[in-house]
Amino acid sequence: MEINIGKLIEEEMKRQGVKHGELGRRIYKSRTNVYNILQRNNIDTVLLRRISCALKTNFFALYAKEMEKEGCHEPAEPTTDMLKFTLQDDEKEFFVDEDINEGYQEIDALDVSLIINGVKYDVTLDMLPEELFPLLVYVYSNALENGPLRDMNDEALDENFFPWLAQNHPRLAGAIVYATEEVLTELIADDVDGKYRNHINYEEPSDEDDWYCLGDNDIKYHIGDLTERIHKVKRPSSWLLPALDY
């Protein structure tokens, strides 16, 4: 019998009430990658182990049962722990909290203060292209030293830098807008308490495979003083792989 592992994972997510964004955070993947994973009939064993830990469900047991039916047995001396991977009740919590030793990488992130329909939100953009940051710092420094932002106080700089950036460097500003929309749609999708849904206009998907979309919102970006707003964050290397590498 062929096992449709993606469908089985999706059914277990529904049973537990785990949304795509939540599973993505647990396995260090984006929502897009989670949707792609659920469409697959087979999954890499490292990724499947990570999903098993995240959902406290031993998906390997499904394959083990099929292998037993076909007359396959465990090797006398397993060369890896994966060959005997089981999740007993007393082990589940350990596996869920276990660090994933695939290596971490430090990346640049940008803290942004958003005024959305008069309400302030602080978000961290940690999926911006790395090549954006030196360009952003360069144009910021020039505008601050020799351009229209010179002699502004911190409050005025916060309010005026992004409008100036959008007018003079639309590609840099566009990357920030796109990353912000991605963050906001994920926050809205997983917003149980209504912190974002109560103040941000959005369109709910008609189908669970569609995305939430932002509606008509008045959004102001406050990102003055880049020396304070750009900082390093640690992310698992698996989170930084290309979108189709799943």
Side-chain angles (χ1 to χ4, degrees):
M1 181 185 76
E2 183 178 350
I3 296 175
N4 188 330
I5 192 63
K7 184 174 179 59
L8 292 173
I9 292 171
E10 185 175 27
E11 289 176 354
E12 182 61 25
M13 288 171 61
K14 290 179 180 178
R15 189 186 72 80
Q16 296 186 24
V18 176
K19 295 182 178 180
H20 297 78
E22 174 61 26
L23 180 62
R25 280 194 295 274
R26 294 182 187 181
I27 65 173
Y28 307 107
K29 295 288 186 181
S30 68
R31 285 181 67 203
T32 301
N33 276 347
V34 171
Y35 280 115
N36 289 332
I37 289 169
L38 300 181
Q39 299 301 313
R40 295 174 64 86
N41 291 329
N42 53 76
I43 297 176
D44 176 82
T45 55
V46 174
L47 178 57
L48 185 58
R49 180 179 185 275
R50 198 185 310 167
I51 294 172
S52 294
C53 294
L55 295 176
K56 297 185 180 181
T57 303
N58 184 9
F59 291 102
F60 288 94
L62 300 172
Y63 291 98
K65 290 178 181 178
E66 290 301 312
M67 297 295 286
E68 287 178 5
K69 291 178 182 178
E70 295 174 7
C72 299
H73 303 284
E74 293 184 8
E77 296 181 0
T79 55
T80 69
D81 292 337
M82 185 63 71
L83 294 174
K84 287 189 173 182
F85 181 77
T86 57
L87 284 177
Q88 304 300 328
D89 288 339
D90 58 345
E91 294 175 328
K92 289 180 179 179
E93 195 63 33
F94 169 78
F95 278 114
V96 170
D97 295 335
E98 183 184 25
D99 288 335
I100 299 172
N101 296 318
E102 294 186 358
Y104 287 78
Q105 180 174 336
E106 279 197 337
I107 60 172
D108 286 315
L110 176 65
D111 289 338
V112 179
S113 295
L114 304 172
I115 312 298
I116 307 177
N117 303 324
V119 180
K120 182 179 179 181
Y121 301 91
D122 292 314
V123 299
T124 296
L125 307 180
D126 54 8
M127 295 301 284
L128 286 167
E130 289 293 288
E131 60 270 19
L132 175 141
F133 290 93
L135 293 173
L136 190 60
V137 171
Y138 175 75
V139 299
Y140 173 79
S141 299
N142 282 343
L144 197 61
E145 294 173 7
N146 308 308
L149 306 182
R150 184 176 50 193
D151 300 327
M152 285 188 180
N153 59 33
D154 290 344
E155 184 177 350
L157 192 59
D158 251 356
E159 294 179 1
N160 288 281
F161 173 57
F162 188 80
W164 174 86
L165 186 71
Q167 182 175 358
N168 293 275
H169 302 278
R171 294 184 66 182
L172 292 179
I176 294 173
V177 171
Y178 178 78
T180 300
E181 290 179 347
E182 289 283 296
V183 169
L184 290 178
T185 52
E186 290 202 11
L187 290 173
I188 289 170
D190 299 324
D191 186 14
V192 177
D193 299 327
K195 174 181 177 182
Y196 302 96
R197 296 188 186 213
N198 291 341
H199 300 99
I200 300 176
N201 299 319
Y202 66 94
E203 298 174 10
E204 194 165 346
S206 56
D207 185 271
E208 65 176 9
D209 291 330
D210 291 337
W211 290 90
Y212 282 82
C213 296
L214 293 181
D216 184 18
N217 294 281
D218 177 24
I219 304 179
K220 296 182 176 63
Y221 293 78
H222 286 193
I223 54 174
D225 195 357
L226 291 184
T227 58
E228 296 291 332
R229 290 185 177 271
I230 295 177
H231 58 96
K232 294 285 186 180
V233 296
K234 271 191 175 182
R235 290 291 180 264
S237 298
S238 59
W239 226 31
L240 308 174
L241 296 175
L244 293 180
D245 192 358
Y246 56 84

